[in-house]
Amino acid sequence: MSAIQIVPIEWYLFLSIVLFTIGVAGVLLRRNAIIIFMSIELMLNAVNLLLVAFSSYLSDSKGQVFVFFIMAVAAAEVAVGLAILMMVYRNTKSSDINILNKLKW
Amino acid sequence: MITKALFIFLTFLAIFFALRVVSTKNPIHSVLYLVLTFFAIAGHYILLNAQFLAVVHIIVYAGAIMVLFLFVIMLLNLNKETEPHKSVWLKSSAVVASGLLLVVLVGALRGAEAIQTTNTFNSNIGLIENLGMTLFNEFLLPFELASILLLAAMVGAVMLGKKSIK
């Protein structure tokens, strides 16, 4: 017994849309680079949830393998992104993205 | 129906904690709320019979990525509420823009017809056995490429983290 047999697929669709929109709102609202990173993670997770829901709905395991790859890419992205953030902080003593409006200083 | 009730409960938790991630001032609280959001999403995975992914999700996201975030926040001393505020005009325009995105996405997908599934329902696709068969039969090349990506990311992170690059 799976939730997909009871809960309509549309509900998962709308849940993912809401989570994705919250992530977009976080990127637009906040100025702290770390919180913007976390909002990006939230958007990735909204997509993951939808992939798993459709994979379960269609009884096809390929969707879940895609989620697996997205997790690997997200881990790599976070590692490099946080390293860049450390460099930026070392140079500017701040994690505010509004300082980063020039390419060289 | 218990499954429906669980779905609604987990959905409520996920959305509430996600909103708290965006709205909390303190970055540490933000990270902890994001961990709770990930646990709610892992609960959704278990409801969808994707047990392996639920476990991997908790280990990778809540266990590794979020610890990395906490580590960086502690290292950089960002745990104070020092974030400068955007102006009210910018904030409200951000809320309006994301609200419009929500309206567009919901409007585009509300009347969509559901796909007619041709496969008979199989509740075992989320188990390691079936996922492993798919991963190593059809996705062998992407799997190997993922290892190269992780190696490149590791080398890149170490290079970026070094004190001075000549």
Side-chain angles (χ1 to χ4, degrees), chain A residues 9-72:
Chain A
I9 186 78
E10 285 87 2
W11 292 19
Y12 280 103
L13 207 55
F14 294 141
L15 168 61
S16 295
I17 290 173
V18 170
L19 282 179
F20 190 87
T21 315
I22 292 172
V24 172
V27 171
L28 293 176
L29 271 173
R30 305 299 298 258
R31 281 174 63 177
N32 191 337
I34 287 194
I35 299 198
I36 290 177
F37 256 120
M38 288 196 268
S39 303
I40 293 171
E41 292 301 309
L42 206 57
M43 288 193 266
L44 284 171
N45 271 281
V47 175
N48 278 356
L49 180 62
L50 197 58
L51 274 172
V52 172
F54 269 108
S55 152
S56 191
Y57 178 70
L58 298 174
S59 291
D60 189 342
S61 57
K62 280 174 195 144
Q64 302 197 8
V65 175
F66 281 159
V67 172
F68 206 67
F69 287 127
I70 293 177
M71 279 180 187

Side-chain angles (χ1 to χ4, degrees), chain B residues 1 3 14 22 29 48 53 66 79 104 124 140 149 151 166:
Chain B
M1 202 59 127
T3 314
V22 173
H29 293 172
L48 285 166
L53 271 188
M66 287 298 109
N79 48 351
V104 165
N124 291 330
L140 187 59
L149 173 77
L151 179 69
K166 283 279 173 282

Side-chain angles (χ1 to χ4, degrees), chain B residues 73-110:
Chain B
I73 290 176
M74 302 279 189
L75 216 59
L76 300 187
N77 262 332
L78 292 177
N79 48 351
K80 301 173 292 283
E81 300 171 9
T82 51
E83 186 180 348
H85 292 288
K86 282 189 173 176
S87 64
V88 179
W89 188 82
L90 268 176
K91 274 188 174 169
S92 49
S93 58
V95 169
V96 167
S98 46
L100 283 176
L101 179 68
L102 180 71
V103 169
V104 165
L105 285 176
V106 169
L109 294 171
R110 207 168 58 89

